[in-house]
Amino acid sequence: MDADLRRARDLATGASRITALTGAGISTDSGIPDFRGPNGLWTRDPEAEKLSNLHDYVASADVRRRAWQARLDHPAWQASPNPAHEAFVTLQRRGTLTAIVTQNIDELHQRAGADPDTVVELHGTMFHTECLDCGDRRDMAEALDRVRAGSEDPPCTVCGGILKSATISFGQALDAAVLDRARVAAISCDVLVAAGTSLTVHPAAGLVDVAAGTGASIVICNASPTPYDNVADVVLREPLAEVLPRLT
């Protein structure tokens, strides 16, 4: 065990309140590609980013049709949690990890066994739909069944409005209550472990500063450099499915 990994393990095992901040990188070993990495979805297909832009989604029926096909074929439907997700569950069951703040929409933390009440989904979930007009919220499976039956851009069944996944798109405000929960988790922890996140999207990235500002130790586990590496007590570059279980 090298010095950095030993230091990170000591921080994790000695902590009384750990908050995890996770991004797309934690799910790549489950077969879900990230967005900005060397092989990321948006790196390979810049046009795909429009599917996650609220303005483009509302303005273009073609973008919505492409988005529904992407949802239909999303690898998350067949994905299973990997050892990185399971490592955080181990810490939670030990009583030291008190919150998982995630930028992911794949619910793999919950499927790994994390207490759903402790998972803060900053960017929502792909497992539900929400109408942009009336706010009606339903199981995503209902809408996908309609797409399979031939509806390329299924409208809301209540008001006929535009339907999308219950996720936060670019140009869409985060839920204030969810963001408050994330800030409380950052303020109240003594160790924050940021795993698989580029720490370039705000306000999620700013939670590192929030935690550090209250005296928490910061552990960053990410394959590529982040803007917050200089704030961290330890930076680990190893694959998450290998390194996170070694922190437990």
Side-chain angles (χ1 to χ4, degrees):
M1 186 179 294
D2 65 29
D4 286 341
L5 184 54
R6 186 178 299 108
R7 172 65 173 149
R9 179 184 171 89
D10 288 346
L11 289 172
T13 57
S16 58
R17 294 182 65 86
I18 300 172
T19 288
L21 172 62
T22 67
I26 198 171
S27 294
T28 55
D29 281 335
S30 295
I32 302 176
D34 63 11
F35 300 103
R36 296 179 177 81
N39 296 308
L41 178 62
W42 297 340
T43 305
R44 291 182 285 105
D45 180 12
E47 282 292 302
E49 191 167 350
K50 288 184 178 180
L51 308 186
S52 297
N53 184 291
L54 185 64
H55 173 78
D56 291 327
Y57 190 87
V58 171
S60 171
D62 181 62
V63 168
R64 293 197 297 276
R65 285 192 290 268
R66 290 174 58 205
W68 281 109
Q69 286 303 309
R71 292 178 187 123
L72 198 64
D73 300 330
H74 201 288
W77 306 126
Q78 285 77 43
S80 297
N82 65 63
H85 298 100
E86 292 162 359
F88 285 130
V89 175
T90 297
L91 289 172
Q92 187 173 77
R93 289 174 177 167
R94 195 172 289 168
T96 54
L97 188 142
T98 55
I100 300 173
V101 180
T102 186
Q103 296 168 270
N104 297 342
I105 60 173
D106 54 34
E107 296 194 5
L108 285 177
H109 286 298
Q110 295 94 318
R111 283 189 273 168
D115 180 352
D117 290 338
T118 67
V119 180
V120 182
E121 295 174 310
L122 282 174
H123 296 163
T125 173
M126 61 179 287
F127 283 77
H128 289 86
T129 58
E130 191 165 73
C131 176
L132 293 176
D133 293 280
C134 73
D136 184 63
R137 187 180 176 102
R138 301 191 179 218
D139 194 303
M140 173 61 77
E142 294 183 20
L144 294 184
D145 284 343
R146 293 161 62 196
V147 175
R148 292 187 188 95
S151 179
E152 294 183 326
D153 179 18
C156 173
T157 56
V158 174
C159 74
I162 293 175
L163 205 62
K164 71 181 287 289
S165 60
T167 57
I168 303 297
S169 301
F170 290 112
Q172 189 172 14
L174 268 66
D175 184 293
V178 172
L179 186 54
D180 282 345
R181 287 183 62 204
R183 286 174 174 150
V184 168
I187 288 169
S188 61
C189 70
D190 51 11
V191 173
L192 184 141
V193 179
T197 170
S198 63
L199 296 176
T200 57
V201 176
H202 287 267
L207 296 173
V208 175
D209 277 332
V210 172
T214 62
S217 298
I218 308 296
V219 177
I220 293 178
C221 309
N222 199 58
S224 304
T226 81
Y228 289 87
D229 287 357
N230 63 330
V231 177
D233 295 83
V234 185
V235 176
L236 302 173
R237 298 281 183 233
E238 291 85 352
L240 298 183
E242 297 176 14
V243 72
L244 288 178
R246 300 181 72 184
L247 300 187
T248 66

